[in-house]
Structure formats: C-alpha cells, structure tokens
Amino acid sequence: MNKNIALNIQILQYREEQGKYYFSIKGWGFSKKGHPLQYKIFINSKEHDFSIKTINREEVQHTYKEYIKISEVGFSILVECEEKPNHFEMLAYDGDEAEHVRLSKRQIQKFLQKDNIDYSIDAFEYLKDSQEYTYTFWAYDVHKKPLQVSVEDAQGKEVSIKIEVSARLDLMILDMVGKENKKCGYKIRFKGDMNELYTLVLKTEDEEQRILLQKNPKLSDISYSRLWLLKRRVLNYIHTKGLKNTFLRIRGKEETDWKAYARWFEATKVSEEELAKQRAVQFAYAPKISIIVATFNTKESYLKEMIDSVVEQSYSNWELCIGDGSTNDSVEKYVKKHYAQDSRIRFKRLEKNYGISGNMNGALELVTGEYVGLFDHDDLLTPDCLYEIVASLQEVRHDVIYTDEDKLDDENKVYLDPHFKPDFSPEQLCSHNYITHFFVVDMDIVRKVGGLREEYDGSQDHDFIFRCTEVARSIHHIPKILYHWRMHMASTAANPESKMYCYTSGKKAIEAHYERMGYKANVEMLPFPFYGMYKSTFETPGNPLVSIIIPNKDLKETLENCIQSLVEVNSYKNFEVIIVENNSTTSEIFDYYDQVQKMYSNVKVVTWKDSFNYSLINNFGVQYAQGDYLLFLNNDTELIEPDSISHMLGYCMRDDIGCVGAKLLYEDNTIQHCGVIVGYRGYAVHPFIGVGRNGFGYMGRPIITSNYSAVTAACLMVKKADFEAVNGFDPQFVVACNDVDFCLKVRELGKYNIEDVFSLWYHYESKTRGLDIEGEAYLRFQGEIKKFQEKWPKILKEGDPFYNKNYDIDEVPFTYPHV
C-alpha cells in the first residue's frame, strides 16, 4: 500500500455479455493528505471511461478518523468496454502520489461471473412436528429483471410455497442492489418429507438457476444459520454493527461504537459497593506497587486526574514516584500544595529534561516497592486496577502482569476504542506493541534488565517490555479494562503522526529483541495508515527442503492451477510436491498425473486406496516426504505473493514456533482465513471472514503476524519433527476438526502457533468435497465436533488464550461486548 493513499477493493466482478465486457468494483479509498482522491481505469494499457458512485462508509471514517473527516470515501465503479481485456489497472491518485491495482489476463478470468442471477442461502429450519421447511435467502438478477421463485420436488412437480419478501439493506451497503431492487430477501415455507429432495428454482425471462436444497435434516427441530461463515460475501459490516445500526446507517443515524461500548463499560465497571469490599480485603501477599511517571510541563487538570486516579485505588499499598523534567516549577508546586500530606506520593525535580526515558529513570530511582508499573502523566487508572493486579499474584508470583485498556476522548469525555488483548503473544508483540498499558513488572526483573533506554525514546516502553518478557518466568494477562489512555491532539493515541519518531524507535526495539534472541530478520515498518505496525522477514539458513503435501480427487484444472502457482509464482525453489491421489474417477486427472511428473522432477503422485479420511490421507503423504519441513496444502489454493513459502519457513525454522498458517483469500479478495479462534459455539471459527485483503479488522490483526491457538490446514507449515512428535493428524477426525486438533497438540509441545499474514494465497474453499452444511455431511460435522469437545474440554471451558474473555464466544469474532 502507498504510504499516503489507502485503497481497499472489497468486491470485484467481471462479466462478458454479447460482445461487451464489464467490470464492477466496490470498495473505499482516501488520501492521508486530505486531498480529494481521483480514480483512473486502464484497459489493455489504454485509459478507459467509467461511471462512479460515491458511497457513505462511516465505519471506514470511524476506523481512520485521524485522517479523514468525511464518510463519503466508498465507491462503486462500473466499467464497460468493447475490447476483450487482457490487462486491467485501476489507479487512485491525490495529485502527488498514486496507488495501483493490476490484474493480468489470467487474474481477470478468476473474477468472471457467468450467471446473471446471484443468490445466497442464509439459513434453513425444519420442524418435524409440522413437517415444514423454512428457507431464508437473498437473490436478484444483475440486470434487475423480475425474478420468479418456486420449489420443485424430486419428480419435478412444483410444490406449494408461502413467500415473504423483504428489503436487504445489507446488500445496499455494498451497492450490490439499489432502491429499485432492494426487496431481494426471501423467506419461503413449504410442507415436505424430510427424506425427499427439493430444488429451489430462480427464474427470469431468459435464465434459470436450480439449487438443490437441504436433504435429510436432523431428526429433531433444527435451525442452522452459520452458513454466512462459509460464504465469500460475508458482510462484515452488518454482522459487527447489527441490523438496527445497518438500517440507521442507511438513514444516516447510526449509533457509534463508542456509545455501545460506553454503556457496556458503565454497566460492568467496578461499583462503589465492590470497591468498599476490596478495601477491606487483607491479602496474604500484599506487595508494594510502585507506579512511576515522568512529568513534563503537565497540564494541571491532567496532573490532578492522573494523581487522583492513584490515590483513589481500593488497594492501598502503593507509592507514586514522579520524575519531573519540566522547564518550570508548576508541577512541583501543585504536587506539594495538594498532596504533601500523602507520604506515598514521592516527587523528584530533575536537573533538566532528560527525555521520556531519562525522566522515567529518575522516577525509577525513587522506587521502594516489589513491583513497578509504568504510567503516563496524562492517563488514568481505574480504581480497582492495583487490587486486581495484587489479586492475581496470590497463587503465582508472576514476573510480568499487563491489563486491557481503552481510550479517553479528552474532548467529549467518553471512553471508547477498548483494546481487549490476548494472553502473552510474542509474535504480536513483534508486530506492534499490543501490551502498552498497564504494564507491571517485578523489580528483580528490572534490576536484571535495567531501566528505560533513551536511544529508544518514543518506543522506550516497547523496548522495556521486550527485555522484561525475555527473562520473565511467568507473564500474566488480566482481561479487564483497568487503564484509560487519554486521547488529545498531542498524544499518539489520537494522532499517530504526532510522534513519527516513535515508530522508527519501535522498529529498532524489535530489531534489538531479535538480536538478543539470536534471530536474523529484516524488520519493516508498515506504511500509512498502519503506522506502529511491523513486518518481520526471517532468514532461512541453508534453504532446507519443504515437502508440500496436496491431497487430490479429480478436478484436474484446480490442481493444475495450484501446481502452476508453486512453480511459476513461488520464489522459494527448494521444494517437493507430494500429490496424494484419493479415489479419483476421471481419466483426465490420471493423464495430468503422468504429465506433471514428467514435467517436474520434484513432483510425485502417491495413491491412497482407502475411503476418504483427511487425517489418514495426509499422514500417508508424509511417509513419502524427504524434507524436514511440511506444508499441508489444499488443491484448491493458489499462491499470490512469491515469497509466501519462504516467509512461512522463516518462522517455522525457529525452535519456539509450531504451526504456521497463511492468509487465505476468496476470489473476490476478501479474507477466508486469518487464524482460528477456538471455542466458538463449542468448536472454532475463522475471524475476519469477508474483510478486504488490506482490511484493518480489529486492532490490525488481519494485517500483522499474530499468535493463534490454531490455523487451517488448507495451508499449514510445520516441522516434520513436531508432526511426528504428536503422531500427526488424529484419524478420528475424518473430515473436520483435524487441523484445529493438530494445532492444539503442537501447542502442548510448548510451541507457539502463528498466523503469517504476509504469506498470501487464494483459497477456492472445499471445491473437492463441498461444504458441511446439509444432510449427512452436516450430521458428520456435528459428530466430529462432539469428539473435539470431549478431547479438548479445558480450552473450551477456560477460553482461547489468544482471544479475550470479554467477547461473547458465540458472537461474531471481535464484536464489542454490549448490554
């Protein structure tokens, strides 16, 4: 991404009709400089006319509010041309700089839509007692032609149905439909035998779509509405905002996120009654917590609120150590005048302003407590902060403790933008300083690693956190909002560009951490609008052999596309491909097997002769692997970035890393996989489905490498030694749950699993065997989930350590908690 231009294409469609060619592009973009963004389209290297409609995208404005003041940053572009496109280019420019999106002839064909009727079935229900089916879906003709809806039984006889038609405002948001055809939502009901096959018929005057409906539903009342998790056009907005806010957005009256969060915080924050009980608690272990803060010409109101937030703590064994580097004595006078009677407040006027690190070290010299916490001079602690920290130390004397936090909007005096953090996630810490506040560490650790270092000013806390966690034996995360980070125009919380040197210092801190750990890596700062986030690329000494295991059944073109990307696009050349043939029936695939093995000496085909079992098939393929590193890969994937394999390998070669996953995209460049969260509705879920290729998601997790409990085996790299140590994939998981189970087993080796977002692939999901959403497949899926639940009760009960307990595990991932 260009450092000054943000461009996100969320939907790209290509059509060929009657000698004409059409592109439909929907997304958003803006210039960091505040300049109007203009667009150009080039077809076959020649500039081409197009029509554009501006779309209100308030959620984009909210995410990047520090850069854009208006919400009309979305676009819907339609391009019509008479010349067959062999090359497509879209250019966004602000007068000075430009960002490009380019598609080759081959890539264009991936977005080709042959059908004029688009549809998606959202949910179904079967009531055994009344023998009635209910299906909810949307459907429309791209040319806005009237649509007829009917249902036929297995003999082709039309079934009597009841139809309800409604507007689909979610589709309007993405400009997929307009006001004239927004009533494209359908709910149909009909009587039917649970053992009969039924077909949904969608028809216009010149086209017909026939969709085989659910057969053999569960023998009790069932309702299955998770299909959206598997559809490529999951509308992230409506699922994170809700239908109410979606409707209000159409009317321009949407409730903002901070209002919903503010209500939740007010409803769940510690009460005065609870604070009174906390003050009466006598802990068996009651260490003194020393809070260090550096002041510099601090605004009086900020100073008062900061100190009062410490004085009002329900836990009383603390001291506040202030190192003041101000250019005048206003801070000193205020502290002595208002807090001289409290001996716990210790003040030191420094000889001069030594900078943030020097001033904090001045405060550190005053410390007499067993633990020290880092505090900013304009921020606030919640009144139960220290109590919760000491409570967490009763059974285990943790070396490091950190908490969740939110931001205080100084102008509007409201709390917003909560950061619900994962438990200790070293790769996320190397991608950005997710810990920040409130950070508390044992003073013995500080004496070992030293204080803050001025050469890292701006990211001195990031460097300090690295050095402390590197030697800590126990790192504990408290999943509670216990710190308020004040936002004002001079703070990095509100204005990332106010201190650009901070981000350069952050890069240095990561590099120094890698050097101490013995890792050789190149660290890059991500461009605007992702300041403060970093990409690490590790060396691959010796360039070891990677064995790529690809199970395959039929689908010659799909497999060929995958192999071609490995050979032609992939820049890492020391690999072998082991195709595990299982139960193919077409002659063309066997012809291709012969052809591909003759073409490439590093490709071989082995044959699995038993029935389908994903776990056993992959275990079988590993027997033929010569490499020390295994890459399990679906046949319906295609490599996008040339260094995708080498980037995964760089992580995988580290001793502390177990499974490495990749970022997988649907054909429309929206996310299909970006890590797995364990526990969702008793199993697991992919977060960020439907978010754009460069979408920010929650706290930037789709754009940075992070720790997860599990990743999908559609593209998963692991050491062969680790694979063998856990006995490979568990055969009891025939189709589903096997990859999540495998990752959890590797975690038990003491390894971290990671999602490498810079390894980028397309995934044309489950082309070979379909989706587990109906009939026997659905029942099998539920059976394997039950086995998973019996095997992994602890994580399902205690929660995924790389998620956060404040989220409802059954809600859409990373949806703010609400009341």
Side-chain angles (χ1 to χ4, degrees):
M1 182 178 285
N2 183 288
K3 66 180 181 179
N4 286 319
I5 295 177
L7 179 63
N8 190 315
I9 294 181
Q10 296 175 295
I11 293 178
L12 195 155
Q13 297 172 329
Y14 168 64
R15 306 183 69 83
E16 299 177 352
E17 294 181 5
Q18 300 177 347
K20 291 190 177 181
Y21 309 91
Y22 302 87
F23 288 92
S24 176
I25 309 115
K26 307 178 196 304
W28 53 263
F30 60 87
S31 168
K32 162 191 167 182
K33 301 175 182 177
H35 298 168
L37 204 59
Q38 301 180 58
Y39 299 95
K40 289 186 177 181
I41 300 293
F42 297 86
I43 304 293
N44 300 336
S45 301
K46 294 181 290 187
E47 188 170 353
H48 204 283
D49 292 336
F50 62 93
S51 63
I52 183 170
K53 177 181 177 183
T54 301
I55 307 294
N56 186 309
R57 296 298 297 270
E58 292 183 7
E59 82 282 10
V60 178
Q61 183 194 12
H62 175 75
T63 302
Y64 304 106
K65 54 183 174 290
E66 61 268 35
Y67 301 112
I68 49 179
K69 305 303 180 185
I70 60 173
S71 58
E72 289 78 16
V73 294
F75 56 76
S76 177
I77 290 174
L78 180 64
V79 185
E80 176 183 338
C81 52
E82 298 183 356
E83 179 184 1
K84 187 174 180 65
N86 295 317
H87 183 268
F88 170 90
E89 180 178 358
M90 177 177 174
L91 180 148
Y93 67 102
D94 64 359
D96 298 321
E97 299 181 68
E99 177 75 351
H100 301 260
V101 173
R102 299 181 177 93
L103 298 176
S104 65
K105 179 180 179 180
R106 179 179 172 188
Q107 291 171 321
I108 290 171
Q109 289 301 311
K110 293 184 183 300
F111 297 99
L112 176 62
Q113 283 202 322
K114 297 181 180 179
D115 301 317
N116 291 318
I117 298 175
D118 203 358
Y119 70 91
S120 176
I121 298 178
D122 295 326
F124 70 79
E125 183 178 44
Y126 180 75
L127 299 178
K128 178 183 175 183
D129 292 341
S130 60
Q131 293 187 318
E132 184 178 67
Y133 283 94
T134 301
Y135 284 87
T136 303
F137 62 94
W138 56 259
Y140 63 90
D141 180 85
V142 296
H143 299 301
K144 302 180 178 63
K145 294 181 180 180
L147 194 66
Q148 298 177 15
V149 177
S150 62
V151 173
E152 295 179 359
D153 62 19
Q155 289 72 44
K157 181 180 178 181
E158 188 168 334
V159 176
S160 176
I161 62 174
K162 297 178 181 178
I163 301 181
E164 297 177 22
V165 183
S166 60
R168 288 297 295 253
L169 303 181
D170 52 338
L171 304 188
M172 290 185 66
I173 286 178
L174 290 183
D175 200 39
M176 292 172 67
V177 297
K179 291 182 179 179
E180 67 279 10
N181 64 338
K182 68 181 180 181
K183 290 190 175 182
C184 59
Y186 297 88
K187 178 182 284 188
I188 60 171
R189 294 185 176 90
F190 61 92
K191 299 283 187 178
D193 188 324
M194 68 175 65
N195 296 313
E196 178 119 26
L197 293 176
Y198 295 94
T199 300
L200 174 65
V201 181
L202 306 175
K203 184 187 298 185
T204 64
E205 61 185 18
D206 52 15
E207 186 176 334
E208 180 178 287
Q209 285 269 17
R210 302 179 67 85
I211 303 103
L212 184 64
L213 294 177
Q214 157 79 8
K215 68 174 184 176
N216 294 332
K218 201 172 179 180
L219 296 180
S220 58
D221 291 1
I222 62 172
S223 178
Y224 186 66
S225 59
R226 290 196 286 164
L227 178 61
W228 59 270
L229 285 170
L230 305 172
K231 298 298 288 184
R232 66 190 177 120
R233 287 197 184 98
V234 175
L235 301 175
N236 191 59
Y237 187 94
I238 192 169
H239 288 302
T240 55
K241 301 285 188 174
L243 283 170
K244 175 185 175 183
N245 278 333
T246 301
F247 180 70
L248 290 175
R249 174 188 169 166
I250 297 293
R251 299 171 58 192
K253 299 179 180 180
E254 180 193 350
E255 177 183 63
T256 54
D257 278 336
W258 68 259
K259 289 183 179 179
Y261 168 70
R263 284 201 308 273
W264 176 85
F265 181 76
E266 287 300 319
T268 58
K269 72 178 183 181
V270 63
S271 67
E272 289 299 326
E273 182 180 358
E274 290 170 323
L275 289 171
K277 291 179 180 178
Q278 290 176 5
R279 292 185 181 100
V281 170
Q282 298 293 318
F283 285 114
Y285 177 61
K288 180 187 290 185
I289 308 294
S290 300
I291 302 169
I292 62 171
V293 59
T295 53
F296 178 76
N297 297 340
T298 307
K299 186 177 177 180
E300 186 174 294
S301 61
Y302 294 170
L303 185 65
K304 179 182 187 307
E305 291 176 15
M306 180 270 292
I307 297 176
D308 286 350
S309 77
V310 179
V311 172
E312 293 165 2
Q313 290 296 304
S314 60
Y315 178 77
S316 60
N317 191 16
W318 55 263
E319 64 180 2
L320 177 62
C321 304
I322 303 173
D324 181 37
S326 298
T327 58
N328 55 56
D329 60 0
S330 59
V331 172
E332 182 179 16
K333 285 182 177 179
Y334 185 86
V335 172
K336 290 182 176 180
K337 178 179 179 180
H338 295 279
Y339 301 98
Q341 302 305 312
D342 195 331
S343 61
R344 297 174 298 178
I345 299 176
R346 311 187 68 192
F347 182 88
K348 181 178 182 179
R349 179 73 185 276
L350 304 177
E351 295 178 359
K352 63 176 183 178
N353 175 26
Y354 292 100
I356 182 62
S357 294
N359 294 350
M360 286 291 274
N361 287 335
L364 189 62
E365 293 174 358
L366 301 174
V367 167
T368 63
E370 291 89 344
Y371 284 84
V372 62
L374 276 59
F375 198 21
D376 285 354
H377 69 153
D378 49 2
D379 294 344
L380 306 173
L381 302 179
T382 64
D384 58 334
C385 178
L386 300 185
Y387 174 89
E388 293 291 350
I389 288 168
V390 175
S392 75
L393 294 170
Q394 297 309 298
E395 295 185 6
V396 179
R397 303 290 192 265
H398 305 294
D399 293 325
V400 166
I401 308 101
Y402 65 94
T403 76
D404 292 346
E405 64 186 296
D406 64 11
K407 295 185 177 69
L408 169 61
D409 183 336
D410 190 49
E411 181 177 354
N412 297 304
K413 306 303 180 185
V414 293
Y415 300 119
L416 45 78
D417 203 12
H419 189 178
F420 296 116
K421 305 168 187 176
D423 289 352
F424 185 59
S425 303
E427 297 319 307
Q428 194 163 336
L429 187 60
C430 292
S431 297
H432 81 122
N433 183 8
Y434 81 93
I435 289 179
T436 54
H437 312 295
F438 187 43
F439 181 78
V440 177
V441 58
D442 190 316
M443 268 301 295
D444 287 341
I445 297 289
V446 179
R447 295 184 186 99
K448 184 181 298 185
V449 304
L452 291 97
R453 303 193 293 187
E454 64 180 11
E455 59 265 39
Y456 296 95
D457 270 1
S459 285
Q460 72 288 335
D461 52 348
H462 201 175
D463 169 68
F464 183 68
I465 289 169
F466 273 130
R467 288 184 286 120
C468 291
T469 55
E470 286 165 12
V471 299
R473 295 166 300 173
S474 176
I475 302 171
H476 181 65
H477 163 230
I478 300 175
K480 294 185 177 182
I481 299 289
L482 300 176
Y483 191 101
H484 302 304
W485 186 5
R486 190 188 300 268
M487 293 170 57
H488 52 81
M489 286 312 296
S491 75
T492 53
N495 181 13
E497 282 202 285
S498 64
K499 299 177 181 177
M500 280 299 296
Y501 71 93
C502 297
Y503 309 123
T504 302
S505 294
K507 177 177 179 290
K508 288 170 53 182
I510 298 168
E511 291 170 336
H513 164 67
Y514 286 153
E515 185 175 353
R516 290 189 298 271
M517 300 300 290
Y519 303 145
K520 293 184 177 181
N522 177 57
V523 181
E524 302 172 60
M525 188 171 76
L526 296 189
F528 167 83
F530 305 132
Y531 293 144
M533 299 186 175
Y534 306 87
K535 173 185 177 181
S536 298
T537 303
F538 292 86
E539 294 183 4
T540 57
N543 292 328
L545 178 66
V546 175
S547 297
I548 304 175
I549 315 294
I550 306 177
N552 187 73
K553 179 181 183 295
D554 297 318
L555 297 181
K556 179 254 185 182
E557 290 184 1
T558 298
L559 177 63
E560 184 178 23
N561 186 55
C562 178
I563 298 296
Q564 282 183 342
S565 73
L566 293 174
V567 173
E568 298 174 6
V569 181
N570 166 40
S571 62
Y572 189 81
K573 299 306 180 184
N574 193 18
F575 70 94
E576 64 173 356
V577 177
I578 300 163
I579 302 170
V580 186
E581 151 58 30
N582 68 100
N583 303 298
S584 293
T585 58
T586 63
S587 59
E588 67 173 359
I589 191 61
F590 291 101
D591 291 341
Y592 176 69
Y593 289 158
D594 292 337
Q595 174 190 348
V596 74
Q597 289 180 97
K598 291 176 182 177
M599 288 178 63
Y600 308 114
S601 61
N602 60 340
V603 176
K604 59 185 171 185
V605 179
V606 299
T607 302
W608 171 257
K609 297 181 180 180
D610 209 334
S611 60
F612 181 85
N613 181 309
Y614 178 87
S615 298
L616 289 176
I617 288 171
N618 279 284
N619 293 348
F620 175 74
V622 171
Q623 296 176 25
Y624 297 88
Q626 300 298 310
D628 291 330
Y629 296 88
L630 307 173
L631 176 59
F632 296 98
L633 191 65
N634 276 23
N635 60 351
D636 55 355
T637 56
E638 178 184 353
L639 186 144
I640 299 173
E641 292 293 342
D643 65 348
S644 290
I645 292 178
S646 61
H647 207 270
M648 295 176 79
L649 181 61
Y651 277 108
C652 198
M653 291 182 72
R654 285 173 36 185
D655 291 338
D656 61 327
I657 298 297
C659 299
V660 181
K663 186 174 182 177
L664 307 181
L665 305 177
Y666 289 112
E667 291 177 85
D668 62 0
N669 279 302
T670 61
I671 291 173
Q672 184 269 333
H673 168 267
C674 194
V676 174
I677 294 169
V678 178
Y680 177 82
R681 299 189 180 183
Y683 175 47
V685 67
H686 292 193
F688 311 120
I689 289 180
V691 172
R693 175 172 174 166
N694 296 316
F696 189 76
Y698 181 76
M699 292 296 169
R701 287 185 67 161
I703 63 167
I704 58 172
T705 296
S706 303
N707 298 95
Y708 282 89
S709 287
V711 293
T712 180
C715 184
L716 183 156
M717 186 177 289
V718 68
K719 300 175 188 69
K720 183 194 274 188
D722 288 344
F723 181 86
E724 293 172 342
V726 299
N727 297 315
F729 292 100
D730 188 340
Q732 71 170 317
F733 299 113
V734 177
V735 177
C737 307
N738 34 56
D739 47 4
V740 179
D741 169 75
F742 176 76
C743 289
L744 294 180
K745 291 194 297 181
V746 173
R747 279 281 292 139
E748 289 189 330
L749 296 177
K751 305 292 183 86
Y752 283 104
N753 298 328
I754 68 163
E755 166 63 19
D756 180 3
V757 301
F758 301 105
S759 178
L760 199 62
W761 308 66
Y762 284 118
H763 183 204
Y764 312 116
E765 184 179 30
S766 298
K767 278 188 174 180
T768 302
R769 63 170 191 83
L771 303 175
D772 297 328
I773 59 174
E774 61 181 17
E776 294 178 2
Y778 174 72
L779 295 176
R780 180 190 61 216
F781 179 58
Q782 294 300 314
E784 296 196 350
I785 286 178
K786 183 177 180 181
K787 293 176 184 178
F788 179 88
Q789 293 169 344
E790 292 170 350
K791 186 173 181 179
W792 299 102
K794 184 177 179 182
I795 191 171
L796 295 176
K797 179 181 179 181
E798 297 179 359
D800 189 327
F802 301 106
Y803 197 42
N804 189 290
K805 293 180 179 179
N806 287 295
Y807 297 117
D808 185 339
I809 193 61
D810 293 331
E811 290 279 353
V812 175
F814 297 105
T815 300
Y816 283 171
H818 54 271
V819 293

